[in-house]
């Protein structure tokens, strides 16, 4: 089968792009022909398909909120060379354009989309603003976001986004031209339905991991680990305050993001010596950091859509301490393969950290349970069979 994968970023940038690359790799491994459409960026992985990629997004390309001649023209050229049997969309909004759906439908190409964030139903990708969950525009009341400055904390950006959302809502491209939506969690599926997306068009299919790439470690180093995006909704400012009360426990923070400098300044201001920032890590280097930690932590304040870092931790035989929010409780079974705490609750989080840190046997047993759960529920073969069933249903 000829499968076109579309994502606005062609480099590793969080769980959505990791899934984009991993599912593409899986399909190619199984003998399918995989093509790519994305946006040019100096951070991109090398690709022979980049000659068709859209130019970088800027204030000069704001037309992509509505219709982009450039995006559609370049996609058309790609499809002339690579007549896809099906198109699999990931995150395309802003940097690419929903208008590309018109080009796909003009050629009668079935479209499936994995929903990695909340843009389909909200002005704000994360349903998170000013440090807390924000659903002020529910349901399709996008105009309310202007006063609230839901986009980039700016009246102008929010106003432009509101116009774009109503444009797409009334034309119906984003929702009507996609044949099937894949929700990685039941939480996401239910949230989409709650906001008016047709239930019949939504299928739950969790992400997967190749656990054979990860070697469990029965021991553990002298640190706990956070790895992922460094952004406000991930709760790292909260975690720093928790760790300020635990000076004898070391926290390593791996990743990059728009809050990186603010977080470093906070650590410096509090004069904390037990928190270290390691920057972006990937591949063997990241896997070694995971397998050698005591446990990983995910202190999210937003509705997590899935939680790839949890699967990576479990595959490494490491247990996870995480917020009880969004899709996280679908993966972490409290007291079995990890612990959950109330989001933003300092005492609850601190108590669970100390409980794990002081009990290596508990860490080992939970880590073993975590490894078993990814082997049984999140394997690549089962995922491949299910996604091919969806592709074949549409083709």
């Amino acid at each position: 089968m000829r499968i076109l994968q579309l994502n606005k970023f062609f480099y590793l940038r969080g769980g959505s792009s990791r899934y984009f690359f991993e599912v593409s790799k899986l399909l190619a491994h199984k003998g399918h022909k995989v093509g790519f459409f994305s946006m040019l960026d100096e951070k991109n992985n090398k690709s022979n398909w980049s000659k068709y990629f859209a130019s970088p997004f800027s204030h000069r390309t704001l037309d992509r909120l509505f219709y982009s001649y450039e995006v559609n023209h370049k996609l058309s050229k790609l499809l002339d060379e690579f007549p896809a049997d099906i198109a699999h969309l990931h995150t395309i909004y802003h940097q690419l354009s929903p208008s590309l759906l018109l080009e796909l439908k003009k050629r009668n190409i079935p479209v499936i989309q994995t929903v990695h964030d909340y843009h389909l139903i909200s002005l704000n990708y994360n349903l998170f603003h000013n440090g807390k969950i924000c659903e002020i525009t529910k349901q399709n009341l996008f105009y309310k976001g202007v006063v609230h400055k839901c986009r980039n904390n700016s009246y102008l950006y929010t106003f432009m986004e509101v116009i774009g959302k109503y444009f797409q809502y009334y034309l119906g491209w984003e929702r009507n031209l996609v044949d099937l939506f894949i929700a990685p969690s039941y939480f996401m599926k239910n949230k989409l339905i709650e906001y008016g997306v047709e239930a019949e068009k939504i299928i739950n299919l969790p992400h997967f991991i190749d656990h054979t790439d990860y070697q469990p470690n029965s021991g553990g180093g002298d640190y706990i680990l956070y790895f992922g995006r460094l952004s406000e909704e991930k709760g790292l400012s909260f975690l720093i305050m928790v760790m300020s009360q635990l000076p004898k426990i070391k926290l390593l923070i791996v990743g990059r993001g728009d809050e990186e400098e603010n977080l470093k300044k906070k650590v410096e201001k509090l004069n904390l010596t037990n928190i270290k920032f390691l920057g972006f890590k990937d591949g063997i280097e990241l896997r070694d950091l995971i397998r050698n930690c005591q446990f990983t932590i995910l202190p999210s304040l937003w509705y997590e859509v899935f939680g790839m870092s949890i699967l990576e931790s479990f595959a490494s035989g490491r247990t996870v301490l995480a917020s009880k929010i969004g899709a996280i409780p679908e993966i972490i079974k409290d007291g079995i393969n990890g612990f959950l705490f109330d989001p933003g609750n300092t005492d609850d989080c601190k108590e669970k950290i100390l409980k794990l840190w002081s009990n290596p046997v508990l860490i080992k047993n939970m880590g073993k349970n975590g490894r078993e759960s990814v082997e049984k529920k999140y394997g690549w073969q089962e995922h491949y069979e299910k996604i091919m069933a969806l592709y074949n249903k549409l083709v």
Side-chain angles (χ1 to χ4, degrees), residues 234-254:
K234 289 295 186 176
L236 290 166
S237 182
F238 156 76
L239 181 59
I240 287 171
M241 294 308 299
V242 174
M243 296 306 298
S244 70
Q245 300 179 33
L246 300 169
K248 294 184 179 180
I249 299 179
K250 185 192 299 184
L251 168 68
L252 299 184
I253 297 176
V254 171

Side-chain angles (χ1 to χ4, degrees), residues 5-248:
Q5 298 281 342
L6 303 91
N7 192 53
K8 61 186 181 182
F9 300 120
F10 204 72
Y11 61 92
L12 195 58
R13 184 188 166 103
S16 60
S17 58
R18 183 177 294 278
Y19 175 77
F20 163 72
F21 284 119
E22 288 298 321
V23 75
S24 300
K25 177 182 173 182
L26 173 60
L27 293 166
H29 176 73
K30 286 292 189 176
H32 300 280
K33 295 180 180 180
V34 180
F36 296 102
F37 186 67
S38 187
M39 179 186 68
L40 292 172
D41 192 295
E42 61 183 13
K43 297 187 287 292
N44 277 0
N45 297 346
K46 291 183 179 180
S47 172
N48 293 331
W49 298 97
S50 62
K51 60 185 177 182
Y52 297 116
F53 288 3
S55 61
F57 183 74
S58 71
H59 67 279
R60 296 180 179 179
T61 58
L62 286 175
D63 60 332
R64 294 182 189 177
L65 287 171
F66 310 99
Y67 181 95
S68 172
Y69 171 80
E70 182 215 350
V71 168
N72 282 33
H73 178 70
K74 289 191 172 182
L75 178 59
S76 178
K77 291 291 186 183
L78 184 156
L79 292 170
D80 287 342
E81 177 185 329
F82 185 79
D85 296 310
I86 193 166
H88 188 158
L89 277 59
H90 297 271
T91 54
I92 63 169
Y93 308 111
H94 294 144
Q95 283 81 353
L96 297 180
S97 173
S99 68
L100 61 80
L101 289 162
L102 299 176
E103 183 62 34
L104 295 170
K105 285 304 178 182
K106 184 172 73 175
R107 296 172 183 254
N108 295 315
I109 298 173
V111 178
I112 195 166
Q113 181 172 17
T114 297
V115 185
H116 295 285
D117 57 40
Y118 299 99
H119 177 85
L120 187 66
I121 58 175
S122 172
L123 299 177
N124 191 299
Y125 283 32
N126 303 322
L127 291 181
F128 186 89
H129 182 62
N130 285 341
K132 60 184 179 181
I133 297 295
C134 177
E135 299 189 68
I136 194 173
T137 61
K138 179 185 176 182
Q139 174 183 95
N140 305 317
L141 302 176
F142 304 121
Y143 68 90
K144 289 188 174 182
V146 177
V147 176
H148 214 228
K149 296 190 289 186
C150 287
R151 287 293 301 167
N152 297 353
N153 207 31
S154 162
Y155 290 118
L156 178 60
Y157 276 105
T158 305
F159 180 70
M160 290 296 295
E161 183 72 16
V162 167
I163 295 174
K165 290 304 291 183
Y166 278 120
F167 179 83
Q168 294 298 334
Y169 178 72
Y170 286 113
L171 287 179
W173 296 353
E174 292 180 339
R175 298 189 185 188
N176 298 339
L177 297 185
V178 174
D179 298 293
L180 196 65
F181 293 107
I182 295 176
S185 61
Y186 285 108
F187 182 89
M188 171 57 90
K189 179 178 180 178
N190 292 334
K191 188 61 69 174
L192 291 175
I193 295 171
E194 184 182 329
Y195 274 72
V197 180
E198 296 177 43
E200 297 75 17
K201 293 183 68 171
I202 310 169
I203 298 293
N204 169 244
L205 178 60
H207 293 335
F208 71 97
I209 192 166
D210 185 353
H211 62 267
T212 61
D213 286 340
Y214 297 79
Q215 300 303 317
N217 183 358
S218 59
D222 63 346
Y223 60 91
I224 62 178
L225 177 70
Y226 169 86
F227 63 102
R229 191 168 67 249
L230 307 188
S231 52
E232 184 184 15
E233 73 277 4
K234 289 295 186 176
L236 290 166
S237 182
F238 156 76
L239 181 59
I240 287 171
M241 294 308 299
V242 174
M243 296 306 298
S244 70
Q245 300 179 33
L246 300 169
K248 294 184 179 180

